[in-house]
Amino acid sequence: MKGTVISTLIAVGLIAGAVLLSKNAVPEVATAATVSIVDGKQIIEIHAKGGYQPRRISAQSNIPTILRFDTSGTFDCSASVRIPSMDITQNLPPSGSVDIPIGTQGTSTLEGTCSMGMYPFEIDFK
């Protein structure tokens, strides 16, 4: 009986700690180095391996945009990117870089994922 009470208290403490840590976590937003403008086109660099980094990106709206996916030893489902709203599915090489032009985006949020839907990412065009 005493062991059950102690185990329950430890479990409650661990769950409470996990909840508090997740509420205080700052969502990852891309730094300026991830988004650049070259020859009038916005290039957004996303690293694909075990998911997409950064997961949230802030970008400029109303400018032609290219998504550049970089891989390095990527053999998981993030080697296949999907952007359902644009009907885009693109397989990525295990190592290398692939550019996907997405045109000019208005103020919106573009959501993408891996082929299995496990690893999401989003781009906020402002």
Side-chain angles (χ1 to χ4, degrees), residues 52 76-82 89 113-120:
Y52 301 102
D76 57 26
C77 66
S78 60
S80 179
V81 66
R82 292 181 51 235
T89 299
T113 185
C114 67
S115 60
M116 295 177 63
M118 292 174 35
Y119 300 122

Side-chain angles (χ1 to χ4, degrees), residues 48 69-75 78-79 90-98:
F69 288 90
D70 297 315
T71 57
S72 179
T74 303
F75 294 100
S78 60
Q90 177 73 49
N91 290 325
L92 307 175
S95 293
S97 182
V98 172

Side-chain angles (χ1 to χ4, degrees), residues 43-65:
I43 299 174
I44 301 173
E45 292 191 46
I46 301 171
H47 299 283
K49 184 175 183 178
Y52 301 102
Q53 297 300 323
R55 287 185 60 185
R56 291 192 60 213
I57 301 167
S58 183
Q60 184 177 336
S61 61
N62 302 315
I63 184 170
T65 300

Side-chain angles (χ1 to χ4, degrees), residues 5-90:
V5 172
I6 291 172
S7 296
T8 303
L9 289 174
I10 290 172
V12 168
L14 289 172
I15 292 169
V19 169
L20 287 173
L21 286 175
S22 67
K23 285 186 178 188
N24 291 330
V26 177
E28 177 188 347
V29 177
T31 62
T34 303
V35 180
S36 60
I37 298 179
V38 178
D39 296 330
K41 293 182 182 174
Q42 177 171 230
I43 299 174
I44 301 173
E45 292 191 46
I46 301 171
H47 299 283
K49 184 175 183 178
Y52 301 102
Q53 297 300 323
R55 287 185 60 185
R56 291 192 60 213
I57 301 167
S58 183
Q60 184 177 336
S61 61
N62 302 315
I63 184 170
T65 300
I66 295 171
L67 301 182
R68 178 167 292 154
F69 288 90
D70 297 315
T71 57
S72 179
T74 303
F75 294 100
D76 57 26
C77 66
S78 60
S80 179
V81 66
R82 292 181 51 235
I83 304 172
S85 66
M86 299 187 79
D87 198 29
I88 293 174
T89 299
Q90 177 73 49

